[in-house]
Amino acid sequence: MQPAPTGLLGLGKVQLHLPRTARQRGALAAAVGLGALGAALAWHHPLSGTLALAAWMLVAGLAALFWVKTPVLLFAPLPLIGLAPWTGWISFEEMDLLVTACGCGGYLAYALQLNARDRAPAWRHGLAYSPVVVLLILALAASAAWSLHRGVADAGGWVFGWFQGYHEPMNSVRNAKAVFLVLALLPLWTAAAAARPRRFSRGLLLGLVLALAAGSAAALWERLAYTGLLDFSTDYRTTALFWEMHVGGAALDGFLVMTLPFAVLALLRTRSPWRFGVGLGIALLAAYACLTTFSRGVYLALPIALVPMVLLADAQRRRAASTDPATSTLDSSLGPVDAPLPRLAKLGALALAAAFAMAAALVFGGGGYRGLLALFFVMVVLLTMPASLWRPSLGQRLMAVLMGAVLALLLGAASWALSMAVPKAAYVLNAVATVCCAVLRWRDEPQATRPVYVLLVTTCWFWLLATMVIVADYWGGTAGRWTALAAGLALAGVWAAMLLEPRLWPLQGAANAGAAGWRKRALLVAGLLMVMALVAALGGGSYLRDRVASWKGDGQTRLTHWREGLRLLHGGEQWLLGKGAGRFVASNFFDGPASAQAGDYRLRHDDGDTYLALTAGKHLLGHGEVFRVSQRISAPAPGPATVRVTYRTATETVLYLEVCEKNLIYPDRCTGTYVMTKPQAGPAGAPPAWQTQDVALGQVEALGGRWWAPQFVTFSMGLETRGARMDIRQIALQDAQGRALLVNGDFGRDMARWFFSSDRNHLPWHIKNAALHVLFEQGLVGLALLGGAFLLALGRLSVGRGRDHPLAPAVVAGLLGFAVVGAFDSLLDAPRIGFLFFSLLLLGLGLRALPGEGVARVA
């Protein structure tokens, strides 16, 4: 048993000691290094260096107090802290501040032995690396470092800048930093897992589940603000607060498939009703976020990831159930371990799920949302069937099924006739049947054998099934009637089989009553809701259907893009070692087809002038394909807005200016204008002269959304002339009240507060495959190392030494989900997604089964 927590916040005795061991001295050096780096980054934050430094110090202090659970501090806010659309930073970001703060505080606490904890014996550590794995990790780091070196060299050499773009040397730092950030924290995590293996494991799980909740909540806000919750037809894919999708990509997709398994695993394990309720809410919210990505990769990744996770968790449960609870590797604080389902019960569960999925598709196709809702109540009643139904003999149950079907047929015929005669009677009859089923369930006597009760329950449920068909018929006519009838017959057959053969019923037995029973039922109801949401999205909106129907054409486009991307590697050296981190965009721009030459920008300092050199792409420019430089602004006052711009151009160029409601890449309710510009000759031999022009932007509407679903307002500028260039020295926007809405309009602070996007033209910015991305940047050597580490982690956590770690199934599922989504997008060029992936990968290489509950873990 662990001793009761004492001291500050229950963390133990607060004490400080000078570093005495080599590990502690190394930790102190790491704390100083990360502290200096983090403080410098915070001080240069584009919004407020003072506030950023204060926030950084607060996080570092919390990390020192809770250094064993730094994953909570680190992962929980990760999907919310990307402020690039406000700051203009892309080489550096708030994630870097968070990592350095957690590292600084954690290492400092370890070095000074704040709230000191004795280390458990080595064989009790929850995270340990063999010498071979250490060599593999060092090789991965060396490959990434060499790729960084080659990328900087390919960009023309090292030039530091706070606001460089995708073509410049700092983009190599942006692309390569994720693995180094994880490596910076890995020794701290190893020490935490040695001191408190279960607390570290719980902290990791909690951090990832909270991250999923935060990211899913952001997705929900976006749908509320910009499309509406049930709009599945608008061409709008959720991006949440992942700024990395400003040039397309699948950052949100990768985030969801890597974090959702942890929420599902927590649901499968927790026994606390309130925790289960919160977890179920998070899982449903995440399912909605997954659905609104409209990503075929996500839809494919989730079953491929979650099915093995459930099987691995079930195997863990079987091994735990066969051992003494005192030595079980599973966390007993979550409650007793469930006995695994028998095979016939699993078969019955699959049959029930398949029948409902088919029924939902059939009913929604003819009966719409109302028919689907009636089907949902049918299934909820079915899942609450009492265990006493199986107490009578087989013959009595068979008679109840046959007589119940006949009686329900008579009730259904009368109900149908009434629904034809009385408007909306179909809905009332469905509600009455539902109430009757609920009353019968309430009148259950668990220990009594009552054949008549079985007959009544069966009759009532069959009648409820008939009213579902009537609702579909009333709403959808003949088509709704016959599709719902087919669905009802299938469900009736499945239920009859389960009533006659109790071993097929997934909720039958002792576990049907009590905590395990309500958990299983709640999980099944949640599954019903998810299936209904998917059916509604597929059947109720054209956008997802169009995306599913276009898979073949999109696949061919991907194959062509991959071939063109690999042609950018020249010679054996580049194939072996790669072209360098962050160099795909520039290589594609200069060496790829004309359609790959998207727009770009540079900040120039010539002859005392600071100006923005803005260029347009050479591809066909539709309005959505224009390269935009933008700034998020306060909502302007409704009325006429004006723009004053100082520019120069060498050719006739069309400049487009707009103010829109826009989260990232989907502008809405825009007010904009086209400005026809002509060059003005300067002195002989000099560049064209600067011109200043006042432009009437137009009548701006009331923007900003509602208080409970605010919308961001963005000012953007771009060139509508292919291949054109324009230099902009100053730009200002005034609303109808004369307020200046732009910050840093003279670019005196470089590109602070300015951000860029390519709203519809995405292929030039990504190679669109994670493996090919690694091949392009690190060559065959880097791909082999990363692929080997990936397979080793999967093997360790599936059949190897780490298979009994409580989080092993979720880590496997997260890695598999990443691989599936990464087959269609680069992912690793988004630093936050790369950080999450390398965290799971490197932890997966070292996780081991935790000590048993009966073994003291406090020395």
Side-chain angles (χ1 to χ4, degrees):
M1 297 292 294
Q2 294 188 23
T6 59
L8 178 64
L9 301 175
L11 297 174
K13 184 179 179 181
V14 177
Q15 52 186 340
L16 295 174
H17 300 282
L18 292 176
R20 289 178 287 188
T21 66
R23 287 176 182 267
Q24 292 167 357
R25 288 190 289 271
L28 182 60
V32 172
L34 290 172
L37 176 60
L41 290 176
W43 186 249
H44 287 87
H45 195 275
L47 297 182
S48 172
T50 303
L51 290 179
L53 186 58
W56 184 92
M57 294 174 66
L58 175 62
V59 173
L62 291 174
L65 288 175
F66 302 98
W67 70 275
V68 171
K69 290 190 175 182
T70 51
V72 178
L73 292 173
L74 186 61
F75 289 116
L78 199 62
L80 303 180
I81 59 171
L83 303 183
W86 288 274
T87 65
W89 261 5
I90 62 170
S91 300
F92 305 103
E93 56 185 309
E94 290 68 29
M95 179 186 73
D96 306 331
L97 301 179
L98 188 62
V99 171
T100 54
C102 288
C104 176
Y107 281 119
L108 191 62
Y110 182 81
L112 302 181
Q113 304 173 68
L114 177 66
N115 298 317
R117 295 172 172 86
D118 294 331
R119 292 168 56 84
W123 61 282
R124 289 299 182 200
H125 294 181
L127 184 62
Y129 297 91
S130 68
V132 173
V133 171
V134 171
L135 288 176
L136 178 59
I137 293 175
L138 291 176
L140 283 172
S143 178
W146 187 248
S147 173
L148 173 60
H149 167 74
R150 291 176 64 85
V152 170
D154 189 68
W158 176 253
V159 177
F160 180 81
W162 291 104
F163 297 96
Q164 292 184 13
Y166 279 31
H167 292 256
E168 296 163 279
M170 291 300 296
N171 193 51
S172 298
V173 176
R174 188 186 73 88
N175 265 33
K177 68 183 178 182
V179 65
F180 297 109
L181 292 176
V182 177
L183 288 172
L185 295 175
L186 199 58
L188 178 64
W189 289 347
T190 304
R196 288 293 186 276
R198 291 195 183 276
R199 287 189 183 179
F200 174 77
S201 177
R202 293 169 193 161
L204 181 60
L205 177 64
L206 178 61
L208 291 169
V209 171
L210 290 178
L212 176 67
S216 301
L220 180 68
W221 152 77
E222 184 180 9
R223 300 299 296 186
L224 277 172
Y226 293 95
T227 64
L229 288 181
L230 298 179
D231 183 352
F232 299 116
S233 296
T234 302
D235 181 6
Y236 191 108
R237 298 179 61 189
T238 305
T239 60
L241 295 179
F242 284 93
W243 67 265
E244 298 89 342
M245 298 175 74
H246 67 137
V247 288
L252 176 61
D253 306 356
F255 168 79
L256 290 172
V257 299
M258 283 192 285
T259 54
L260 181 57
F262 291 89
V264 175
L265 185 67
L267 275 180
L268 294 176
R269 296 250 171 93
T270 186
R271 299 298 182 273
S272 166
W274 74 267
R275 288 181 183 175
F276 183 87
V278 172
L280 186 59
I282 292 173
L284 290 174
L285 187 61
Y288 177 80
C290 291
L291 187 65
T292 58
T293 62
F294 297 103
S295 168
R296 292 158 296 190
V298 170
Y299 299 160
L300 180 63
L302 288 180
I304 290 177
L306 294 181
V307 170
M309 188 201 78
V310 171
L311 294 177
L312 290 173
D314 186 65
Q316 274 190 349
R317 194 165 51 191
R318 287 179 179 274
R319 290 191 293 272
S322 64
T323 61
D324 185 342
T327 59
S328 171
T329 58
L330 294 185
D331 193 345
S332 68
S333 67
L334 299 177
V337 178
D338 283 348
L341 280 179
R343 291 184 179 179
L344 280 179
K346 291 179 182 177
L347 180 63
L350 289 175
L352 199 62
F356 174 72
M358 182 193 72
L362 290 173
V363 170
F364 185 74
Y369 285 103
R370 300 183 188 188
L372 193 60
L373 182 62
L375 175 63
F376 174 72
F377 286 120
V378 168
M379 294 302 298
V380 169
V381 171
L382 178 60
L383 293 177
T384 58
M385 290 292 187
S388 63
L389 296 182
W390 283 270
R391 294 184 65 86
S393 66
L394 175 61
Q396 290 171 329
R397 298 198 306 273
L398 177 61
M399 186 60 65
V401 168
L402 295 177
M403 292 184 63
V406 173
L407 293 174
L409 185 62
L410 296 175
L411 286 171
S415 300
W416 181 77
L418 185 60
S419 71
M420 293 294 100
V422 180
K424 299 188 182 301
Y427 307 126
V428 175
L429 289 167
N430 180 257
V432 171
T434 304
V435 170
C436 289
C437 290
V439 170
L440 285 172
R441 181 64 178 87
W442 176 60
R443 299 293 296 175
D444 175 46
E445 296 179 10
Q447 304 304 320
T449 301
R450 299 187 296 169
V452 174
Y453 179 74
V454 179
L455 172 62
L456 291 175
V457 170
T458 304
T459 301
C460 201
W461 187 78
F462 280 152
W463 179 38
L464 179 62
L465 200 58
T467 62
M468 180 270 295
V469 177
I470 293 170
V471 169
D473 172 63
Y474 184 79
W475 176 255
T478 304
R481 178 193 314 155
W482 295 113
T483 55
L485 181 60
L489 290 174
L491 286 173
V494 170
W495 164 241
M498 291 181 174
L499 185 59
L500 297 176
E501 176 49 79
R503 290 178 297 175
L504 289 172
W505 181 237
L507 299 173
Q508 175 66 6
N512 194 40
W518 67 257
R519 285 184 60 260
K520 288 180 180 178
R521 288 188 172 92
L523 286 172
L524 289 171
V525 170
L528 299 182
L529 291 172
M530 293 180 187
V531 171
M532 288 172 57
L534 182 59
V535 168
L538 283 168
S542 59
Y543 184 46
L544 182 54
R545 291 200 303 270
D546 293 343
R547 285 188 57 77
V548 172
S550 63
W551 70 270
K552 188 173 183 180
D554 290 347
Q556 186 59 49
T557 301
R558 282 286 200 279
L559 289 173
T560 302
H561 182 63
W562 292 340
R563 286 195 294 266
E564 291 175 348
L566 292 178
R567 289 195 189 106
L568 301 176
L569 294 176
H570 303 298
E573 183 181 359
Q574 289 189 0
W575 274 93
L576 188 64
L577 300 175
K579 201 155 190 176
R583 297 310 297 161
F584 175 76
V585 176
S587 300
N588 201 31
F589 182 89
F590 291 108
D591 203 13
S595 61
Q597 296 185 23
D600 190 28
Y601 72 93
R602 290 287 191 282
L603 196 66
R604 302 292 189 189
H605 306 275
D606 297 338
D607 301 326
D609 285 328
T610 298
Y611 59 89
L612 174 70
L614 182 61
T615 60
K618 295 184 179 179
H619 53 86
L620 183 63
L621 292 179
H623 183 68
E625 284 75 26
V626 172
F627 179 85
R628 288 170 166 83
V629 173
S630 307
Q631 185 175 136
R632 284 188 177 167
I633 60 175
S634 302
T642 59
V643 177
R644 169 170 288 189
V645 57
T646 300
Y647 67 90
R648 68 184 180 190
T649 177
T651 60
E652 292 188 359
T653 304
V654 177
L655 172 65
Y656 181 69
L657 307 170
E658 66 181 5
V659 171
C660 303
E661 288 179 335
K662 178 180 180 181
N663 179 31
L664 197 63
I665 57 175
Y666 296 101
D668 189 27
R669 300 180 67 199
C670 294
T671 301
T673 186
Y674 294 91
V675 182
M676 309 297 295
T677 65
K678 295 183 179 181
Q680 180 172 317
W690 292 102
Q691 307 176 57
T692 298
Q693 187 170 346
D694 290 320
V695 180
L697 193 63
Q699 293 287 329
V700 178
E701 304 176 56
L703 303 177
R706 295 146 293 189
W707 66 267
W708 48 270
Q711 296 173 317
F712 299 131
V713 181
T714 302
F715 170 80
S716 301
M717 53 185 173
L719 303 181
E720 291 269 1
T721 304
R722 292 171 65 181
R725 168 179 167 169
M726 176 179 289
D727 297 338
I728 299 175
R729 188 167 66 182
Q730 191 167 16
I731 187 166
L733 168 67
Q734 281 191 337
D735 66 2
Q737 295 180 354
R739 293 186 302 159
L741 299 179
L742 293 180
V743 179
N744 192 30
D746 61 355
F747 307 102
R749 296 171 53 202
D750 292 340
M751 291 298 292
R753 306 296 292 269
W754 292 98
F755 190 60
F756 66 95
S757 67
S758 181
D759 291 1
R760 296 285 180 177
N761 188 29
H762 299 158
L763 289 181
W765 304 91
H766 318 270
I767 201 169
K768 292 291 184 180
N769 180 278
L772 296 183
H773 172 84
V774 176
L775 174 62
F776 188 91
E777 293 195 345
Q778 300 184 39
L780 292 170
V781 172
L783 181 60
L785 289 171
L786 187 60
F790 184 85
L791 295 176
L792 179 60
L794 291 182
R796 286 190 75 260
L797 299 178
S798 300
V799 296
R801 194 173 184 182
R803 65 177 184 167
D804 281 323
H805 190 280
L807 300 185
V811 176
V812 168
L815 292 176
L816 287 176
F818 175 89
V820 175
V821 174
F824 309 102
D825 220 292
S826 302
L827 291 184
L828 291 175
D829 55 1
R832 280 188 288 178
I833 304 307
F835 179 81
L836 185 57
F837 166 73
F838 282 113
S839 295
L840 296 184
L841 178 66
L842 297 185
L843 287 173
L845 291 174
L847 289 177
R848 302 193 304 179
L850 298 186
E853 290 294 332
V855 179
R857 293 182 304 281
V858 181

